[in-house]
Amino acid sequence: TLRRVVYPLSVRLSDDDLALAAEARLPELGDRLISALQFRRQLDDPENAESRPMMRAVIEEAARLEHALEVRRLVDTRTVRRHGLAAAAPVLLLLLLPLLAPGAARTWLHRNLLLEDVPWPRRTTLVVLGFEESREKVVTRGETVRISVRARGKVPDEVEIWYERLEDGGDRAHRRMYEEEGKRGVFRFEFRSVAASFRFWVEGGDDTDGRPVYTVRALVPPLIERIEAHCEFPAYTRLGPAVYREGDLDLPAGTKVDLRFTLNMPVRTAAFVVEGAPPRAMRLGPDRKTAAVSLTADRTFDYSLDLLGDEGQRNLPGTTSFRIRAVPDQRPSARLLSPESRQWFTPRGLVPFKILATDNYGVTRASLLLKRRGDREFTVRPFRPGEIHRGEDGREVVGYAALEVADLSPNPEEPLRVGEDLVYAAEAEDNHGNRDRTDESRIQIVTEETLERALAQRQVGLREDAMDTRRERQDPAHRRVLDLLDYLEKEGAFEVRDREALRDVQILQGQVTREMDRLFGKVRWVFNAYVYNRLAAPGATEQILLLFDDFLRRDHRDLSTVFKRDLYRRIISAYREDRIHDQQILSILIEIMEITLKISEKTSPEAHRLLAGLARGEPEQGELADLAKVRDLQVDILADFRVLDRKMGEWEQYSDLVDMVRELKELQGGVRTGAEKILKEK
């Protein structure tokens, strides 16, 4: 437009140029116009030698032709119109723009006339929510920064976030942002675990100018370097003050706690936050690097610290979260160890009461509770100082007292009578006044004759059990070992099928061990009944009772079983050393216990062990030697069974003798009563 319209209009043309242009446009003019112009300037020149009439004639002819010319033939209007319209279009657009697009017109005015840095309007504008271009956003290192962008105008198909580190000017990178489900035009991206400061901008649609740019400054968070919990415990615990260096605490309910935290940097504020309660301002030290709070652990709760650094950074959630668990004072535990419930005692009997009381902070009292069957209330009988053994920390108390049946009546003026039941329980009380009571147990008071008859009846069953074990377990095991030994001596080695036979023998031998162990327990129960009820010779009974008493006073380590095998080994040893003199029932029972202990603890387990090695193909001294040793052990066991059967027979004979003596005494008593009656009548 400038070259074809504006420039031509600005150029000045001479008369000669116009004449030449007209002659070029109209060939019929020839050179008449330019010649007439030249002759017209020469007419007044006296030095011109040309004929003046000729020059006037040319001028007049050119004038006639000029009047006859059509001016439109001299000008090409098409080109003028075309270039004129091209020049007028921008002007027209400039005039109409304020009416059609006032926003764009204003932007053009500000950018081109006022020279302001104003962005051109666009169809899409991306707005970052929650950020200001002129203000840095301070976050904590390790925090997740969420970026939300709202698209105004046309929502683009794709939005990208561009970012770069601040510290080292790292390379730019970009990631795609995804539209949030259910939120049209809202895009989201997360910078997870931010480790360094960075700047970012977003682009999408026609919003691609990379502005505005936002800055995120990641700062080191306030952290806890050390914790001290100074605790003062409630009086019922009997514990002195203590200091713990941890935030998670299990404390007795009611403990007073002074929590002191040392931080890695000065902080502006520190708050103690418990869920469901308003935050509490903590005490800051002079350097603002220590924070403290006092509380009482009367319930279990989770807590955290909300720390605000001088530059606006906060501690990360979860890095200062702890729990204080207030442990309520538990009830003590009372356990009745002896005697077993439903036992029989005679009026001359001695009852060994033993209880175990435990508590997490200490047992104050351990007691027996006694009453007749049918009574409503118990009589409390505390264990006395000489009957109490306390652990080093006082959390475990063992109470033991061997009490005469005559002293067990809740009412001293009404002794227990034969046929009555004594109901008893154990109770423990702790330092806080909490109590625990065992279930009720009972013993029955019977005559000596009744108890002896019951024990004799039990003897019959024990003898049958022992002989069944020999016939069904030990005899078959011995026969199979003899067969295997004979085979091994002939063949020189076992085959695979022989291993199965060895396993069968091994199983039988293990059953012998277990059944003899149970038999020992039953015999022991009978022995205890004889001793505690003083049914045997008084001298031997009192000697054994002293061993019982000494054992029960000293044994406080393993209380799962009160009457352990060590006690009976000591009794057997004393009997062999002639420190227990009794040739009646106690001697028989001691010898029976000795045999059952030998079989169940020594010979049968040894045979079982050798058989197991042979079954696995791992003999100790060779298959023949090991199997021969098993045979010898089984011969000893069978010999012990024969002795056991004989001793059981002696027990039975003694019981029969006791019954005969009792019957004679009853008959004698009847005769005496009859004689006295006759004498009175006479």
Side-chain angles (χ1 to χ4, degrees):
T1 300
L2 293 175
R3 183 173 62 83
R4 296 181 177 276
V5 177
V6 178
Y7 176 74
L9 291 176
S10 64
V11 177
R12 181 180 297 277
L13 299 177
S14 63
D15 293 341
D16 292 347
D17 293 331
L18 291 173
L20 291 173
E23 290 174 350
R25 190 71 180 168
L26 300 173
E28 63 268 22
L29 293 177
D31 295 330
R32 292 183 180 88
L33 289 180
I34 187 63
S35 298
L37 289 174
Q38 292 175 350
F39 287 159
R40 179 70 184 81
R41 289 192 294 271
Q42 294 175 1
L43 284 177
D44 298 330
D45 186 2
E47 295 181 359
N48 189 353
E50 294 291 340
S51 172
R52 286 176 170 67
M54 184 270 296
M55 291 190 286
R56 292 190 182 94
V58 172
I59 293 170
E60 291 175 357
E61 183 179 7
R64 289 195 300 273
L65 289 174
E66 180 184 2
H67 290 295
L69 287 176
E70 296 181 5
V71 179
R72 59 185 180 85
R73 293 181 61 196
L74 295 174
V75 180
D76 186 358
T77 60
R78 291 176 300 173
T79 301
V80 174
R81 286 196 302 271
R82 184 171 64 252
H83 292 291
L85 289 174
V91 177
L92 181 62
L93 179 61
L94 186 63
L95 295 175
L96 293 177
L97 185 60
L99 299 177
L100 299 177
R106 285 195 301 270
T107 302
W108 182 88
L109 177 65
H110 283 280
R111 288 179 62 90
N112 293 277
L113 298 183
L114 301 180
L115 302 178
E116 295 179 356
D117 188 11
V118 178
W120 285 106
R122 46 191 169 229
R123 290 176 297 173
T124 300
T125 300
L126 301 179
V127 179
V128 179
L129 305 178
F131 284 79
E132 298 179 19
E133 182 181 15
S134 61
R135 184 176 180 181
E136 293 180 342
K137 187 177 184 67
V138 176
V139 300
T140 301
R141 290 191 180 183
E143 183 180 351
T144 295
V145 178
R146 296 174 175 83
I147 309 297
S148 294
V149 173
R150 182 180 299 278
R152 294 178 179 172
K154 182 180 179 181
V155 177
D157 295 331
E158 184 175 304
V159 174
E160 289 185 333
I161 182 168
W162 289 76
Y163 56 92
E164 61 185 5
R165 291 168 60 103
L166 290 181
E167 284 82 353
D168 53 10
D171 295 336
R172 295 180 178 181
H174 63 92
R175 294 288 186 273
R176 181 177 178 180
M177 302 184 73
Y178 291 92
E179 193 171 11
E180 290 192 24
E181 185 176 356
K183 294 183 179 181
R184 176 65 175 163
V186 177
F187 296 82
R188 188 170 184 174
F189 182 80
E190 290 185 351
F191 291 97
R192 297 182 181 275
S193 301
V194 174
S197 302
F198 65 95
R199 62 172 64 93
F200 73 92
W201 60 95
V202 293
E203 295 183 357
D206 60 353
D207 188 350
T208 59
D209 60 354
R211 297 182 62 184
V213 177
Y214 303 96
T215 301
V216 176
R217 184 165 298 279
L219 302 178
V220 175
L223 299 173
I224 296 174
E225 291 185 341
R226 187 170 66 253
I227 302 176
E228 288 186 359
H230 296 255
C231 301
E232 293 185 9
F233 301 105
Y236 69 83
T237 64
R238 298 183 180 178
L239 299 175
V243 178
Y244 301 103
R245 288 173 173 79
E246 54 188 332
D248 294 309
L249 301 169
D250 285 357
L251 301 172
T255 301
K256 295 180 179 179
V257 186
D258 187 41
L259 288 170
R260 305 172 189 178
F261 301 88
T262 301
L263 312 176
N264 63 330
M265 64 176 65
V267 294
R268 195 183 305 168
T269 61
F272 186 78
V273 182
V274 177
E275 185 177 357
R280 292 175 54 188
M282 303 180 69
R283 306 186 304 272
L284 295 179
D287 58 356
R288 296 186 291 115
K289 292 182 65 176
T290 59
V293 65
S294 298
L295 55 94
T296 300
D298 50 6
R299 64 184 180 90
T300 297
F301 59 89
D302 294 330
Y303 72 90
S304 61
L305 304 188
D306 183 9
L307 305 173
L308 178 63
D310 286 343
E311 296 184 73
Q313 72 272 39
R314 291 186 180 274
N315 56 299
L316 292 174
T319 59
T320 60
S321 298
F322 306 97
R323 169 172 290 187
I324 290 181
R325 190 165 71 96
V327 181
D329 185 27
Q330 302 173 2
R331 289 196 313 167
S333 172
R335 180 181 167 195
L336 189 59
L337 303 174
S338 175
E340 298 177 2
S341 185
R342 305 302 303 171
Q343 288 193 10
W344 287 355
F345 283 88
T346 69
R348 292 197 312 126
L350 186 69
V351 185
F353 288 101
K354 188 166 187 177
I355 74 167
L356 171 65
T358 58
D359 185 68
N360 52 347
Y361 297 118
V363 177
T364 302
R365 186 177 65 172
S367 305
L368 283 175
L369 306 180
L370 305 170
K371 71 176 181 180
R372 280 186 169 87
R373 184 181 181 185
D375 290 349
R376 298 183 58 184
E377 299 295 333
F378 280 104
T379 298
V380 179
R381 196 260 186 204
F383 282 93
R384 295 158 188 169
E387 302 168 346
I388 288 288
H389 175 84
R390 294 183 179 274
E392 293 182 0
D393 56 4
R395 298 183 181 184
E396 180 179 281
V397 168
V398 176
Y400 164 68
L403 304 179
E404 300 283 349
V405 171
D407 297 331
L408 295 179
S409 173
N411 184 357
E413 297 179 359
E414 298 180 10
L416 291 172
R417 296 185 298 273
V418 172
E420 286 189 316
D421 286 354
L422 175 70
V423 180
Y424 61 96
E427 184 178 75
E429 182 177 342
D430 67 8
N431 300 331
H432 207 189
N434 300 315
R435 295 181 182 180
D436 181 52
R437 178 181 295 184
T438 65
D439 294 334
E440 296 179 3
S441 300
R442 67 182 60 179
I443 57 177
Q444 186 174 2
I445 310 303
V446 297
T447 63
E448 293 185 4
E449 292 79 6
T450 301
L451 182 56
E452 286 180 344
R453 191 174 294 114
L455 296 177
Q457 292 172 353
R458 175 163 292 198
Q459 182 274 341
V460 176
L462 295 178
R463 187 177 189 184
E464 292 177 354
D465 290 344
M467 294 307 102
D468 288 344
T469 301
R470 190 198 70 183
R471 287 190 299 267
E472 298 175 10
R473 304 287 187 267
Q474 192 60 63
D475 284 346
H478 182 56
R479 288 194 298 269
R480 293 187 187 185
V481 167
L482 292 177
D483 293 341
L484 288 168
L485 188 60
D486 182 62
Y487 172 84
L488 184 61
E489 289 174 344
K490 293 178 181 179
E491 301 297 330
F494 285 127
E495 296 182 1
V496 175
R497 58 186 176 84
D498 299 320
R499 307 290 179 196
E500 294 296 329
L502 284 166
R503 274 190 283 272
D504 292 340
V505 180
Q506 172 193 348
I507 292 172
L508 285 172
Q509 199 64 58
Q511 291 174 342
V512 170
T513 301
R514 290 190 293 273
E515 290 179 10
M516 292 304 292
D517 189 67
R518 286 194 290 269
L519 182 65
F520 166 78
K522 295 176 181 178
V523 174
R524 182 194 64 182
W525 187 91
V526 173
F527 180 80
N528 291 352
Y530 271 102
V531 172
Y532 274 112
N533 286 285
R534 300 182 171 101
L535 296 179
T541 302
E542 294 304 321
Q543 288 176 319
I544 296 174
L545 282 175
L546 290 175
L547 292 174
F548 270 84
D549 188 69
D550 179 62
F551 182 88
L552 294 181
R553 286 183 185 278
R554 292 191 301 109
D555 182 26
H556 304 299
R557 289 169 295 177
D558 178 13
L559 295 170
S560 57
T561 301
V562 175
F563 297 98
K564 299 179 178 60
R565 295 191 176 194
D566 287 347
L567 169 62
Y568 302 98
R569 293 191 185 99
R570 290 166 58 185
I571 293 173
I572 293 170
S573 177
Y575 173 75
R576 290 299 174 198
E577 296 171 1
D578 292 329
R579 289 187 283 117
I580 297 177
H581 303 283
D582 178 35
Q583 300 303 317
Q584 299 174 349
I585 187 63
L586 288 184
S587 297
I588 297 173
L589 291 175
I590 290 173
E591 291 175 353
I592 291 174
M593 287 194 298
E594 184 177 20
I595 295 171
T596 56
L597 278 174
K598 177 185 174 184
I599 296 175
S600 63
E601 293 187 338
K602 186 177 180 182
T603 50
S604 185
E606 177 68 7
H608 181 272
R609 185 182 62 82
L610 292 171
L611 288 167
L614 289 168
R616 294 193 305 269
E618 301 173 357
E620 291 185 358
Q621 298 179 355
E623 293 179 339
L624 187 60
D626 282 6
L627 196 58
K629 188 174 181 180
V630 171
R631 176 200 59 197
D632 295 341
L633 290 169
Q634 290 181 333
V635 169
D636 290 342
I637 294 172
L638 289 173
D640 288 335
F641 268 110
R642 287 191 292 272
V643 175
L644 183 62
D645 186 49
R646 187 172 68 252
K647 292 297 179 181
M648 291 281 191
E650 292 178 6
W651 183 7
E652 184 175 357
Q653 293 172 5
Y654 177 77
S655 298
D656 292 341
L657 181 61
V658 170
D659 283 340
M660 291 175 59
V661 171
R662 184 180 299 111
E663 290 176 2
L664 288 173
K665 286 183 177 180
E666 290 177 357
L667 180 59
Q668 183 183 24
V671 172
R672 180 184 297 111
T673 302
E676 291 176 353
K677 183 178 180 181
I678 293 173
L679 289 173
K680 288 181 180 179
E681 290 177 354
K682 288 184 177 181

